[in-house]
Amino acid sequence: MTQSQIGLIGLGTMGAMLALNISEKGFPIAVWNRTVAVTHGFKAEAGALADKITPCETLADLVAAIAPPRAIILMVPAGQAVDDMIATLRPLMAADDLIIDAGNALFHDTDRRSAEAAKIGPHFMGIGVSGGEEGARHGPAIMGGGSRSDWDRVAPVLNAIAAKYKGEPCADYMGPAGAGHFVKAVHNGIEYADMQMIAEVYGVMRDGLGMDAAAIAETFKAWNQGPLQSYLIEISAEVAAATDTHSGKPMLDMILDRAGQKGTGRWTVIEAQHLAATIPAIEAAVMARNLSSRLEERLAGEAVFGAAPQAGANVTLAQLEQAMIAGKILCYAQGFALISAASKAFNWPMPLPEIARVWREGCIIRSSMLNDMATALTEDAGRNLMLAPFFADHLKATHGALRQVIAAGALSGLPMPALASGLAWFDMMRTGRSTANMIQAQRDFFGAHGFERVDGVADKHGPWSGHGI
């Protein structure tokens, strides 16, 4: 029997789709799932691809089915399940074999597992995979982390299965250890913010302008033909246009407004705080998801204070589109700045232009803007994206509309936390003389923390009568 070139553990939705993608690209693959019937059923339903799939009933069989040096992809839930699987595989595999965690792992866990693997083997790397079920099957964006030699070993497979942008694979090496999973977490954080901003402008259209779902769908569809062209705007048009098969009403009107999450956005926000990186649009998006789950409290609040006015918001669809353009640029600028901060803090030489290129196709945040972002980051990777001439010009042209939309929302009681946070960040980023001097004076007054002076005088404290209270 011909040995497989790679193995995969975990035939849930994502794992099964990824295995089919690998086999379709011509790579024989051995697969294992803890439920044996699922393993055999997967091959039975693989159709023309079945001859490249070897179903294995035990992990020992899986290891034996793969040509050495072996590479096995883990598609199991993040956390303890990954550690348990590594512990089970370790005595079965050779020291130069490779385990690849392709799930949504916390990058600190990937760092730890990489360090352990360096001591006792087998090799280990973590890769971020984005694109959902469709991406896994037909081409995801792939962000690799680990040793460069391990990436190079499996790059032929990963490049082959990745999404393509004008023929270029949307897969690349991000850096050592947990770098790939860190980039994937930031991707997800940007995804949270992008989705939240779309939801906010949807709310203005629905509640502030009184538009029905069909009109909202047409608006998103039109926006998808311009600067906002992206996967998320495209699917927003589709979901707004959909009709519920049970009630005959717009599908959106039948969906409970309680958003779920799997934690990657929260990880991004927590790490940004550790790195002192400013990502307020992403923080606001995570907050909004958390608050959406508190349905009973929100209903109680509405009962006490009344609902926001229905219709009558003083804003146009053109202004909403411009506000979304500004918000999107600011959100991505914050995300890339966070990656840059991590690169410096962890000594990961992460390639910002290549990250933008990897995100151009296959992933959830794919957008026409990303090609221009890759160009801007190639010109100067150390410059904040909002300061790049191309995006600075866009912001100059659109931030006025962003102000109008946020002001109209505030006057009408329409919440826009992500857009408003993005605007506040923009205004702070373009303020040469901020108000932090007041904070420094307060800190010195109550804690004698000292401050710097604008005139360079050596006196670090103020003449406070209540100093040190």
Side-chain angles (χ1 to χ4, degrees):
M1 181 179 67
T2 302
Q3 285 190 298
S4 297
Q5 288 182 247
I6 197 165
L8 184 140
I9 292 172
L11 293 171
T13 300
M14 288 289 289
M17 294 300 102
L18 204 63
L20 290 174
N21 189 353
I22 292 170
S23 61
E24 186 177 61
K25 298 306 187 293
F27 300 97
I29 183 169
V31 297
W32 179 90
N33 195 78
R34 63 180 180 177
T35 304
V36 174
V38 170
T39 307
H40 288 292
F42 173 72
K43 179 180 174 72
E45 296 172 5
L49 300 175
D51 62 343
K52 291 194 177 296
I53 297 170
T54 301
C56 302
E57 296 191 358
T58 68
L59 289 173
D61 292 340
L62 178 79
V63 172
I66 306 167
R70 304 167 186 85
I72 297 176
I73 298 172
L74 303 185
M75 294 297 292
V76 300
Q80 189 60 45
V82 176
D83 289 315
D84 292 344
M85 187 56 66
I86 292 172
T88 304
L89 285 171
R90 185 168 284 135
L92 302 174
M93 300 178 72
D96 61 346
D97 288 344
L98 173 62
I99 297 173
I100 305 167
D101 178 12
N104 273 332
L106 178 62
F107 83 96
H108 290 297
D109 288 341
T110 305
D111 284 346
R112 171 178 54 79
R113 292 164 185 150
S114 296
E116 291 171 354
K119 294 178 181 177
I120 57 178
H123 293 210
F124 179 83
M125 64 183 298
I127 63 172
V129 179
S130 177
E133 179 181 354
E134 184 70 14
R137 178 63 184 87
H138 298 293
I142 299 174
M143 296 142 266
S147 75
R148 182 78 211 202
S149 59
D150 284 337
W151 168 262
D152 290 341
R153 188 204 304 193
V154 293
V157 176
L158 300 180
N159 285 332
I161 68 172
K164 305 296 187 296
Y165 180 86
K166 295 183 179 180
E168 294 182 28
C170 293
D172 212 333
Y173 176 69
M174 302 289 107
H181 277 141
F182 183 90
V183 173
K184 175 56 164 53
V186 176
H187 164 284
N188 285 21
I190 294 172
E191 176 186 313
Y192 274 48
D194 209 346
M195 293 171 71
Q196 176 63 29
M197 289 187 291
I198 292 171
E200 289 171 15
V201 298
Y202 157 71
V204 175
M205 286 189 277
R206 184 192 68 184
D207 301 330
L209 299 178
M211 295 169 60
D212 62 21
I216 292 171
E218 287 302 312
T219 300
F220 281 132
K221 185 176 179 181
W223 288 358
N224 200 47
Q225 304 306 309
L228 288 174
Q229 189 279 318
S230 64
Y231 174 71
L232 285 171
I233 291 289
E234 176 187 346
I235 67 170
S236 297
E238 291 194 27
V239 299
T243 300
D244 177 31
T245 56
H246 299 284
S247 65
K249 297 179 180 179
M251 190 70 247
L252 272 176
D253 294 349
M254 303 307 298
I255 298 174
L256 189 66
D257 56 320
R258 192 149 50 193
Q261 57 183 312
K262 293 188 175 179
T264 48
R266 191 177 299 145
W267 292 345
T268 306
V269 169
I270 292 169
E271 201 55 43
Q273 293 298 320
H274 288 310
L275 293 169
T278 55
I279 57 167
I282 297 172
E283 291 171 353
V286 174
M287 177 278 293
R289 288 208 191 184
N290 292 338
L291 192 54
S292 76
S293 68
R294 299 182 178 183
L295 180 56
E296 293 75 16
E297 289 182 71
R298 291 189 287 113
L299 290 172
E302 183 175 291
V304 172
F305 300 107
Q310 297 297 301
N314 186 24
V315 66
T316 67
L317 292 179
Q319 287 175 321
L320 278 179
E321 181 182 21
Q322 295 292 298
M324 271 296 303
I325 292 170
K328 192 178 186 76
I329 293 170
L330 296 170
C331 164
Y332 280 73
Q334 292 169 24
F336 278 106
L338 173 56
I339 295 173
S340 181
S343 179
K344 295 172 184 174
F346 305 136
N347 195 27
W348 291 342
M350 290 193 286
L352 295 185
E354 283 71 18
I355 292 170
R357 293 187 180 99
V358 165
W359 290 348
R360 290 181 300 184
E361 282 293 346
C363 68
I364 303 301
I365 64 170
R366 59 186 183 266
S367 162
S368 61
M369 285 189 188
L370 279 161
N371 201 45
D372 294 313
M373 290 178 183
T375 299
L377 291 166
T378 299
E379 293 169 354
D380 186 351
R383 174 183 57 196
N384 190 286
L385 202 57
M386 66 172 274
L387 301 177
F390 179 85
F391 293 105
D393 288 344
H394 270 297
L395 286 170
K396 290 174 185 176
T398 59
H399 77 85
L402 179 58
R403 296 180 193 285
Q404 292 293 328
V405 168
I406 292 169
L411 291 170
S412 299
L414 301 172
M416 286 182 276
L419 286 170
S421 295
L423 178 61
W425 182 79
F426 170 76
D427 283 336
M428 293 189 74
M429 283 286 286
R430 61 101 172 244
T431 299
R433 173 68 170 167
S434 77
T435 56
N437 53 316
M438 171 59 83
I439 295 171
Q440 285 297 85
Q442 292 168 337
R443 293 179 70 243
D444 186 59
F445 187 100
F446 64 68
H449 293 293
F451 48 72
E452 297 175 282
R453 294 176 57 101
V454 297
D455 58 7
V457 172
D459 189 354
K460 302 295 184 182
H461 299 288
W464 329 119
S465 60
H467 194 68
I469 292 176

